[in-house]
Amino acid sequence: MWRRLAPPVAVLGAVVGAFAYVRAVDPNRPGHYPACPLLALTGVYCPGCGGLRSAHAFAHGDLVAALHANAPAVVGYLLFAVAWSVWAVRTARGLPTRVTVRPAHLWALGTVLAVFTLVRNLPFGGWLHP
């Protein structure tokens, strides 16, 4: 069983390591991480802008600040936790885990991120700025 659990445990270790690093190295202080190239060149917030600040706040337990920095990222963190848990339990039980991503799912995700990006860059969407 332990050999079967190696992939989920390795993925969890990588994610915990990444969050530990972002928790320790504050992205709100300049000079630690590169700036978003789209924001630097055009002044337009991409869907990922604020993702590191969101992860930093999430790792510190500040859910409100994490949602303010990048709400879709927080949803992604929570969806990852659920998906990883299902994967780990099914793997431990020896059951196959198949993920089927249909084109409709990808279109829905793309639409949500496009609307989020559009709204956060409009004058009335300032509350979505990281």
Side-chain angles (χ1 to χ4, degrees):
M1 178 173 86
W2 294 110
R3 182 170 267 165
R4 282 193 315 248
L5 284 175
V9 169
V11 168
L12 182 63
V15 170
V16 167
F19 268 89
Y21 181 80
V22 173
R23 185 181 196 281
V25 181
D26 188 357
N28 296 304
R29 298 179 70 196
H32 294 293
Y33 299 99
C36 172
L38 183 67
L39 181 61
L41 293 173
T42 66
V44 173
Y45 293 106
C46 76
C49 281
L52 285 173
R53 284 174 278 213
S54 175
H56 180 75
F58 192 83
H60 281 275
D62 189 352
L63 189 59
V64 173
L67 285 167
H68 177 70
N70 193 318
V74 175
V75 172
Y77 308 150
L78 299 175
L79 287 175
F80 171 81
V82 170
W84 183 88
S85 299
V86 169
W87 179 31
V89 168
R90 289 186 64 84
T91 300
R93 292 181 179 170
L95 300 172
T97 303
R98 290 196 176 95
V99 177
T100 304
V101 180
R102 295 184 174 90
H105 296 142
L106 296 176
W107 278 102
L109 176 63
T111 302
V112 167
L113 291 177
V115 169
F116 171 71
T117 303
L118 178 67
V119 170
R120 81 187 316 199
N121 285 291
L122 292 174
F124 63 85
W127 58 279
L128 291 174
H129 291 179

